[in-house]
Amino acid sequence: MNAQPTPDRPSPQDRPARLTVGVVGAGRVGPALAASLKLAGHRPVAVSGVSDASLRRAAEILPGVPVVPPAEVLARAELVLLTVPDDVLPALVAGLAETGAVRPGQLLAHTSGRHGAAVLAPATRAGALPLALHPAMTFTGTPVDVQRLAGCSFGVTAPEELRLAAEALVIEMGGEPEWIDEAARPLYHAALAIGANHLVTLVAQAMELLSAAGVGSPSRMLGPLLGAALDNALRSGDAALTGPVARGDAGTVAAHVAELRRHAPQAVAGYLAMARATADRALAHGLLKPELAEDLLGVLANEAGGTDGTAGSGPADGEQQ
């Protein structure tokens, strides 16, 4: 990997390596963080991985770093990154502690968004120093991720006495530390999932629908529109709302739902849920006039009754109302 030093990341030879770094779980996140720490002068010494994809990823992003079992990673490293799925993390930590793999004074950092430092309690009781360092970034599993960490916010949770150490590690990776209280971690993670994970679903659905409508390059059409919408939303929040729901165009919304029922019934429930949420926010922000909101919310309520395909478009010709 040919990442170049920057003013915020001095060349490794200008700074002595201070910590040996190990990675348990060579998914998309761990190798990128370890490579970033290497740029800051630390020394990756071991990584664990099971799947062929994780082994290839480790070889590409951390060339020359040996692949060993998790316990051996802990034996070799002073700073261990636990980069496994949220639901796997508690059992992994408990297992490492029970087998005696955790050493007193060892820095143990996980990258789960949902969990704080408490999930590391079994290791903490064995003398480890617990850190929760969650990068608020989507990862590709390629070397480009290291560059994307520049300016990336990290959700940081740790005991107060380790706060400065945790924040320093984030800064050395090029990130921006944001302190998250232990009790707020699930809410923090839910917010990121709504903003990022659900965004991918919405964009993918929009591209599929544009393709069905005959658009030759959905991504080219959506790129400028979505870029502007995201920029406006980040700058102005609810004031950036536009479109038929925010305007109270009930007839247009009904037409949208009718077309979705015909061409993409799997998208109807999501459209109605987002339309209702958008209407509520537009009404509360004063963008949607109350007299228009009544008709619009009536359409949404009526259409919501037909998400199973049995109703929602009004009576058919000849039916009694």
Side-chain angles (χ1 to χ4, degrees):
M1 186 178 59
N2 296 318
Q4 298 298 315
T6 69
D8 295 326
R9 286 182 173 180
S11 178
Q13 58 264 35
D14 295 334
R15 300 174 59 180
R18 288 161 298 147
L19 291 173
T20 52
V21 179
V23 178
V24 176
R28 297 182 180 184
V29 179
L33 297 188
S36 188
L37 287 168
K38 181 178 180 180
L39 292 176
H42 300 286
R43 185 164 60 94
V45 293
V47 60
S48 71
V50 177
S51 70
D52 290 340
S54 66
L55 296 178
R56 288 194 301 270
R57 193 177 296 119
E60 180 182 15
I61 302 177
L62 297 173
V65 176
V67 178
V68 299
E72 183 63 22
V73 173
L74 270 70
R76 299 187 184 193
E78 297 162 315
L79 166 63
V80 179
L81 304 175
L82 303 179
T83 55
V84 297
D86 291 359
D87 290 351
V88 174
L89 183 60
L92 172 66
V93 174
L96 291 172
E98 289 172 2
T99 59
V102 179
R103 303 198 314 272
Q106 187 170 47
L107 286 164
L108 211 57
H110 73 72
T111 58
S112 165
R114 167 190 166 194
H115 295 290
V119 73
L120 298 172
T124 304
R125 289 192 291 270
L129 306 178
L131 310 173
L133 309 176
H134 175 252
M137 175 58 63
T138 182
F139 288 79
T140 65
T142 66
V144 71
D145 293 332
V146 180
Q147 280 72 37
R148 286 181 174 176
L149 286 173
C152 167
S153 291
F154 278 66
V156 177
T157 304
E160 187 61 36
E161 62 271 20
L162 295 176
R163 177 168 180 164
L164 291 179
E167 293 177 346
L169 285 172
V170 169
I171 292 170
E172 287 189 324
M173 287 186 281
E176 296 287 341
E178 187 72 36
W179 189 258
I180 308 294
D181 288 339
E182 181 80 31
R185 293 289 293 203
L187 180 60
Y188 151 80
H189 197 225
L192 296 182
I194 290 172
N197 305 148
H198 296 176
L199 175 63
V200 174
T201 300
L202 291 173
V203 173
Q205 282 190 342
M207 289 199 295
E208 289 174 354
L209 294 172
L210 287 173
S211 293
V215 174
S217 180
S219 61
R220 186 172 63 223
M221 176 174 283
L222 284 173
L225 173 65
L226 298 184
L230 177 59
D231 184 62
N232 290 341
L234 291 175
R235 291 174 183 270
S236 305
D238 288 330
L241 285 171
T242 63
V245 173
R247 291 192 300 267
D249 291 341
T252 298
V253 170
H256 286 177
V257 178
E259 285 300 295
L260 291 176
R261 289 195 192 283
R262 184 174 298 113
H263 298 288
Q266 73 281 1
V268 171
Y271 179 95
L272 291 173
M274 290 305 299
R276 179 57 192 259
T278 301
D280 289 344
R281 299 188 75 90
L283 187 60
H285 201 73
L287 298 173
L288 177 58
K289 297 179 181 178
E291 60 271 23
L292 297 177
E294 185 176 355
D295 288 343
L296 176 66
L297 295 176
V299 167
L300 294 175
N302 181 54
E303 295 293 353
T307 53
D308 61 356
T310 60
S313 298
D317 291 343
E319 285 186 311
Q320 293 183 343
Q321 296 193 36

